[in-house]
């Protein structure tokens, strides 16, 4: 699975986005360590706090199916500009995959950033004692 293909799968997932309030359609494609891909889209809610980002949709789908080891996640929006994961999604990714590569796209220009760069001095599972 190339990161280019992962981006394509993330764009495909934007088509399922339910974003009637923001009209900001986001898609994610999460690659597990053993090569399986889980996609996700953002799902909004009239009570805005119930909204779920595309990244967390993908992670929750994977975890609920028994997959907890992740190598990379592609995150895109329909506008094709770099879409960085929000703080909550960075924290959730850190829970399972502090070393995950985050793959972004701006009109065909790929950017790969490791979560460690995006979430320095993180708080994670090993910090609860
Ligand atoms: N959103 C995501 O799905 N992922 C992000 O990383 C940024 C924000 C969604 C949440 C909401 O549905 C919309 O984009 C506007 O914030």
């Amino acid at each position: 699975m190339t990161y280019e293909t992962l981006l394509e799968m993330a764009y495909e997932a934007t088509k399922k986005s339910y974003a009637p309030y923001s009209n900001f359609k986001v898609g994610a494609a999460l690659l597990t360590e053993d090569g399986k891909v889980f996609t996700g889209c953002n799902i909004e809610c009239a009570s805005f706090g119930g909204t779920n980002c595309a990244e967390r949709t993908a992670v929750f789908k994977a975890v609920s199916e028994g997959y907890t080891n992740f190598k990379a996640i592609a995150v895109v929006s329909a506008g094709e500009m770099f879409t960085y994961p929000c703080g909550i999604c960075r924290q959730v990714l850190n829970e399972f995959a502090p070393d995950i590569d985050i793959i972004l796209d701006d009109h065909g220009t790929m950017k790969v950033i490791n979560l460690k760069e995006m979430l320095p001095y993180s708080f994670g599972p090993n910090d609860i004692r």
Side-chain angles (χ1 to χ4, degrees):
M1 170 65 55
T2 66
Y3 285 173
E4 285 83 2
T5 304
L6 208 58
L7 279 170
E8 281 171 26
M9 294 176 85
Y11 274 118
E12 190 61 28
T14 64
K15 296 178 186 167
K16 301 270 172 45
S17 164
Y18 177 76
Y21 307 107
S22 72
N23 283 314
F24 190 69
K25 294 176 181 292
V26 185
L30 177 66
L31 178 64
T32 69
E33 289 286 3
D34 48 358
K36 201 170 158 59
V37 177
F38 289 88
T39 60
C41 62
N42 55 331
I43 303 166
E44 298 188 342
C45 181
S47 178
F48 295 162
T51 292
N52 204 58
C53 291
E55 299 92 314
R56 279 177 290 138
T57 300
V59 170
F60 296 156
K61 280 171 69 178
V63 173
S64 66
E65 297 291 330
Y67 293 83
T68 54
N69 297 313
F70 308 127
K71 182 175 166 26
I73 185 167
V75 185
V76 303
S77 54
E80 297 195 19
M81 285 161 56
F82 289 134
T83 303
Y84 296 89
C86 78
I88 299 168
C89 289
R90 293 179 197 199
Q91 189 68 42
V92 169
L93 289 168
N94 185 63
E95 183 71 25
F96 297 100
D99 242 325
I100 195 169
D101 277 340
I102 294 159
I103 322 300
L104 308 172
D105 175 69
D106 185 339
H107 296 93
T109 300
M110 185 192 297
K111 190 187 266 191
V112 181
I113 309 177
N114 193 272
L115 182 60
K116 285 194 184 311
E117 295 172 68
M118 271 198 197
L119 194 68
Y121 303 104
S122 65
F123 181 82
N126 295 331
D127 299 309
I128 298 184
R129 323 197 172 95

